Amino acid sequence: GAVVSQHPSRVICKSGTSVKIECRSLDFQATTMFWYRQFPKQSLMLMATSNEGSKATYEQGVEKDKFLINHASLTLSTLTVTSAHPEDSSFYICSARGQTGLPEQYFGPGTRLTVT
Amino acid sequence: SQQGEEDPQALSIQEGENATMNCSYKTSINNLQWYRQNSGRGLVHLILIRSNEREKHSGRLRVTLDTSKKSSSLLITASRAADTASYFCATASLGSARQLTFGSGTQLTVLP
């Protein structure tokens, strides 16, 4: 089956620093990748949609200059949280869709970000 | 944005009993999917039902979809302690991106 990995699985950083999270599709080419954020005991909130080779589309209320998304290849998308603040601490999950046009999205295992 | 509401928010049952979770949504959809999430982990895709389908089965799972009421239900039969997790419905929008909008989730606890 389709596998999506995320790295790192956990990261702790200091306020004001930047953190990069990678999302990789391991055995398929992902034309579209999605980034979600999930606060404790809450649902997933879509942050942005990225298509390979083009700029990401951000959801309302998500600062594109703070959450930089790069989808440089068909197997890799990165999310960089810039100038992190404690309120950015959350569980970040990516998902990917393949080229076949099938509706399924395949989710990564998530990255736990803690900003101190 | 959050589209779906799920109820109940939390459900506690004994092993062997059936668990039913409901999901309501607001806009037209291409399909509806159910996911499972163990605490602190990623999502596991359980089942997808398309907008022109009314019922679907997969093992101990049964999903129904009523597009006229904009609602879906997930039934887990003969529950096991290992089924303890959060369950989310997610609706896929019309259009090429088919973004998923997640419901608020149901925390299921199956007591041994």
Side-chain angles (χ1 to χ4, degrees):
Chain A
V3 178
V4 175
S5 69
Q6 276 184 246
H7 177 79
S9 58
R10 292 176 181 271
V11 58
I12 300 173
C13 70
K14 293 184 185 296
S15 275
T17 61
S18 295
V19 174
K20 180 185 284 189
I21 302 170
E22 292 185 349
C23 177
R24 293 182 186 273
S25 57
L26 297 185
D27 50 2
F28 68 102
Q29 293 187 320
T31 51
T32 306
M33 286 186 168
F34 304 88
W35 286 95
Y36 298 84
R37 180 168 50 183
Q38 185 181 32
F39 292 108
K41 298 191 185 302
Q42 294 189 25
S43 188
L44 280 74
M45 300 296 291
L46 180 65
M47 298 175 67
T49 302
S50 75
N51 292 296
E52 185 263 338
S54 61
K55 290 185 179 180
T57 303
Y58 289 82
E59 294 299 298
Q60 194 172 8
V62 178
E63 299 174 58
K64 62 180 181 182
D65 294 331
K66 179 170 181 62
F67 299 99
L68 302 178
I69 292 172
N70 187 313
H71 192 163
S73 77
L74 285 171
T75 59
L76 174 65
S77 176
T78 60
L79 167 68
T80 301
V81 183
T82 62
S83 188
H85 288 275
E87 54 265 33
D88 297 325
S89 298
S90 187
F91 195 52
Y92 292 86
I93 304 175
C94 72
S95 71
R97 283 186 63 214
Q99 292 177 307
T100 59
L102 294 175
E104 286 83 355
Q105 287 185 25
Y106 302 97
F107 283 79
T111 296
R112 172 76 59 194
L113 170 63
T114 304
V115 185
T116 60
Chain B
S1 60
Q2 193 89 327
Q3 165 163 235
E5 292 296 324
E6 291 181 60
D7 79 273
Q9 289 188 343
L11 178 62
S12 185
I13 58 174
Q14 295 289 332
E15 208 165 25
E17 293 180 339
N18 295 341
T20 300
M21 289 160 267
N22 302 296
C23 167
S24 61
Y25 58 93
K26 297 176 183 173
T27 64
S28 296
I29 62 172
N30 178 279
N31 63 74
L32 185 145
Q33 303 176 35
W34 284 89
Y35 289 85
R36 166 200 165 115
Q37 183 181 37
N38 286 73
S39 180
R41 301 291 189 91
L43 273 73
V44 175
H45 182 266
L46 296 176
I47 196 165
L48 178 152
I49 186 165
R50 299 178 191 276
S51 60
N52 62 352
E53 297 175 309
R54 292 295 166 259
E55 188 171 311
K56 207 161 183 180
H57 297 253
S58 176
R60 293 185 295 115
L61 306 180
R62 173 178 166 248
V63 168
T64 63
L65 178 64
D66 187 334
T67 52
S68 66
K69 295 181 180 177
K70 291 186 165 61
S71 67
S72 174
S73 68
L74 170 67
L75 168 68
I76 303 175
T77 60
S79 64
R80 305 166 183 167
D83 294 329
T84 295
S86 292
Y87 292 82
F88 294 93
C89 68
T91 52
S93 60
L94 299 173
S96 60
R98 306 265 174 94
Q99 295 171 338
L100 289 179
T101 304
F102 281 81
S104 50
T106 295
Q107 172 61 51
L108 173 67
T109 302
V110 181
L111 303 169

